[in-house]
Amino acid sequence: MSRVNLRSTVGSGAGDSWARRILLTVSSEDSFPECLVYAIEREFPSIVVEQATSLDAACDTFEHPVCLILIDTEFLQDIDTHAAAFMRCHPSAPIVLVQHDSRVPVSIQDVLDLKIVRSVLPMDLKLDVWLSVIRLMLRGGEYFPLAMFQSFAKGLSDRAPDHSLQIEQSATDRAGFDEMGELTEREFQILEMVARGLQNKIIAATLRLSEHTVKIHLHNIITKLGAHNRTEAAAVFHARKDTFYSGMERSRQPGISQSSA
């Protein structure tokens, strides 16, 4: 069995009182700093740190019960095949992924796929914070670095289509004309209400028009804007409403009242 038993350096530091137990690290030779071993055993006098250099070596019987297992992410792809052995040999020991480089965070999906993994432990935390996380996990708590969720959220954002951009681009593509030079003031008024999501019967009642008249106006609006339906016409309005409003002001002539049609 490939295992280095790092004997306890029991110090005088104050730690929680537990029965003798083992914190097991699983990593390549010398990849778990001896200074951290010393810090753990000083902080938790009842804990002995032992190191295994393979997952097979970790699935073994030890002198004391194993209370926590820290597995380097280099073994990420092989953890699942050893899950049953870990549960059988160390049923009370939470499995924790140890991440040496937080700039390349373990993905949330990796953790979800490995149902046996309970936490992710970055190695670049300040020592007092790092020991606090160890204490949390020894007490049954879980820990995941914020970078995992930031990376996950960014991935969702990158994959999500930007519908507003698509609508704006579509509207811009249809804007090869002077919209307000095409629409009458009444048509503009109806388009504005359509863009607010109002139904034809509500528009008709508000403007004191028949619903049939509103439908005719809406048909003319859609035709003039080069849209296919009222939804596209509303999108054009939202994308270029500033142009609409400024064009509306230019088109108004003194002494001419709003059409009542």
Side-chain angles (χ1 to χ4, degrees):
M1 178 183 67
S2 177
R3 184 178 78 244
V4 178
N5 186 3
L6 302 175
R7 303 307 305 168
S8 174
T9 58
V10 178
S12 58
D16 291 346
S17 178
W18 283 291
R20 205 69 159 159
R21 295 182 297 173
I22 289 175
L23 187 154
L24 179 62
T25 71
V26 187
S27 63
S28 298
E29 204 72 46
D30 299 327
S31 63
F32 195 86
E34 190 169 352
C35 62
L36 289 182
V37 174
Y38 175 82
I40 290 172
E41 294 185 336
R42 178 181 174 84
E43 184 74 13
F44 311 107
S46 59
I47 297 292
V48 176
V49 177
E50 292 202 19
Q51 179 173 322
T53 57
S54 70
L55 293 177
D56 288 332
C59 299
D60 200 351
T61 302
F62 292 81
E63 183 179 357
H64 304 290
V66 175
C67 61
L68 189 65
I69 304 175
L70 309 182
I71 302 179
D72 195 288
T73 52
E74 65 182 302
F75 297 115
L76 182 65
Q77 303 303 320
D78 300 317
I79 292 177
D80 200 38
T81 58
H82 289 75
F86 276 121
M87 292 296 294
R88 182 177 63 256
C89 299
H90 314 300
S92 301
I95 304 294
V96 177
L97 280 179
V98 174
Q99 180 182 330
H100 288 277
D101 189 353
S102 61
R103 293 171 300 178
V104 187
V106 177
S107 74
I108 292 178
Q109 193 58 55
D110 287 336
V111 177
L112 292 178
D113 290 342
L114 299 172
K115 297 180 177 62
I116 194 173
V117 173
R118 293 279 302 278
S119 299
V120 175
L121 177 63
M123 295 294 284
D124 56 359
L125 299 174
K126 292 182 178 179
L127 181 59
D128 58 339
V129 176
W130 194 85
L131 290 173
S132 295
V133 175
I134 292 291
R135 185 186 302 278
L136 172 69
M137 293 187 296
L138 286 171
R139 289 177 170 172
E142 299 176 353
Y143 181 86
F144 297 93
L146 179 61
M148 283 184 61
F149 300 98
Q150 291 174 330
S151 177
F152 180 71
K154 184 179 184 303
L156 288 180
S157 177
D158 290 343
R159 291 194 299 271
D162 190 341
H163 296 295
S164 62
L165 183 61
Q166 292 172 2
I167 291 175
E168 184 174 353
Q169 182 62 46
S170 176
T172 302
D173 292 343
R174 301 180 188 282
F177 51 84
D178 182 358
E179 293 92 341
M180 282 311 305
E182 295 287 331
L183 297 181
T184 66
E185 187 169 351
R186 174 64 83 192
E187 288 168 348
F188 171 79
Q189 191 176 28
I190 291 175
L191 175 59
E192 185 180 35
M193 299 176 77
V194 168
R196 282 158 41 200
L198 300 181
Q199 297 178 349
N200 288 351
K201 60 182 179 181
I202 302 299
I203 297 173
T206 302
L207 300 179
R208 297 183 179 179
L209 301 173
S210 70
E211 192 171 345
H212 176 69
T213 300
V214 171
K215 288 180 180 179
I216 292 175
H217 280 306
L218 185 55
H219 172 76
N220 292 336
I221 292 167
I222 292 172
T223 300
K224 290 179 180 180
L225 295 183
H228 292 97
N229 50 50
R230 64 189 294 139
T231 301
E232 287 192 9
V236 172
F237 175 85
H238 284 302
R240 300 181 61 82
K241 58 184 177 182
D242 291 340
T243 303
F244 275 136
Y245 283 121
S246 61
M248 186 69 189
E249 291 300 321
R250 292 195 305 269
S251 68
R252 284 176 175 159
Q253 298 296 324
I256 297 179
S257 62
Q258 179 175 304
S259 171
S260 61

